Amino acid sequence: TGGAVISATAGTGTGTILDDGTGPGPFDPNGPDAPDDDRTGFSVNDVEISEGGLMTFTVSRSGDAADEQTVDFATAIAAGDSAEVDDFTGNSGTLTFAAGETSKTFTVQTSADDTYEGAETFSVNLSNATNGSQIVDGTGVGTILDDGTGPGPNPDDDTTSFSIGDVS
């Protein structure tokens, strides 16, 4: 106003907002004296169920949930897991979290059989978090509990057993 002129070369400024390292970050990877990481983070829980049951895994989003974000999930038999491919129906996909959503679920169907196998495990892995989010706890464990049914003298116990008869 009043006849002032805005410079053609210096008429625009850039404002930079620096993260102060405080906030509801999901974890502190650099120790207790480092600023926390307040990016959005995804994690998946562990689930156990009797064989033949439907497992429901929950993927949780912590931190700033203001934006839409996605994360991929997939079942796998990882090193150290004891399940076999026919013990469950694999599942994979992408979960889309709308603004404000903090949890989503997906299911894995387990198979029942007549063989005593004890508890068997498989893994669920999270990957490809989007829009500035990160994976906080990217591995869940699915534990399939033997249901104790099967053939034999005691139908509620499918543990392998041996016997010997008396001889005269």
Side-chain angles (χ1 to χ4, degrees):
T1 63
V5 177
I6 297 176
S7 167
T9 59
T12 302
T14 300
T16 303
I17 301 170
L18 300 175
D19 191 316
D20 65 0
T22 62
F27 71 102
D28 182 0
N30 300 313
D33 297 326
D36 68 350
D37 187 343
D38 53 356
R39 291 179 290 169
T40 304
F42 289 102
S43 57
V44 62
N45 68 327
D46 299 333
V47 177
E48 69 177 43
I49 197 163
S50 291
E51 61 185 0
L54 183 66
M55 292 182 152
T56 300
F57 288 89
T58 301
V59 176
S60 300
R61 179 167 71 159
S62 60
D64 182 7
D67 294 326
E68 180 178 291
Q69 294 170 318
T70 63
V71 66
D72 295 341
F73 69 91
T75 56
I77 299 174
D81 284 336
S82 55
E84 297 173 349
V85 294
D86 59 346
D87 290 326
F88 65 97
T89 303
N91 192 2
S92 64
T94 300
L95 298 173
T96 300
F97 287 74
E101 283 186 308
T102 57
S103 68
K104 292 276 190 180
T105 62
F106 65 91
T107 59
V108 175
Q109 180 63 55
T110 65
S111 304
D113 59 31
D114 290 343
T115 305
Y116 177 76
E117 299 165 306
E120 299 173 287
T121 60
F122 65 91
S123 297
V124 172
N125 300 303
L126 299 180
S127 62
N128 300 322
T130 64
N131 294 337
S133 61
Q134 62 186 336
I135 306 292
V136 176
D137 179 2
T139 303
V141 177
T143 303
I144 305 167
L145 303 174
D146 195 277
D147 66 358
T149 61
N154 181 355
D156 291 330
D157 183 5
D158 55 1
T159 306
T160 302
S161 62
F162 297 92
S163 62
I164 187 167
D166 295 333
V167 176
S168 303

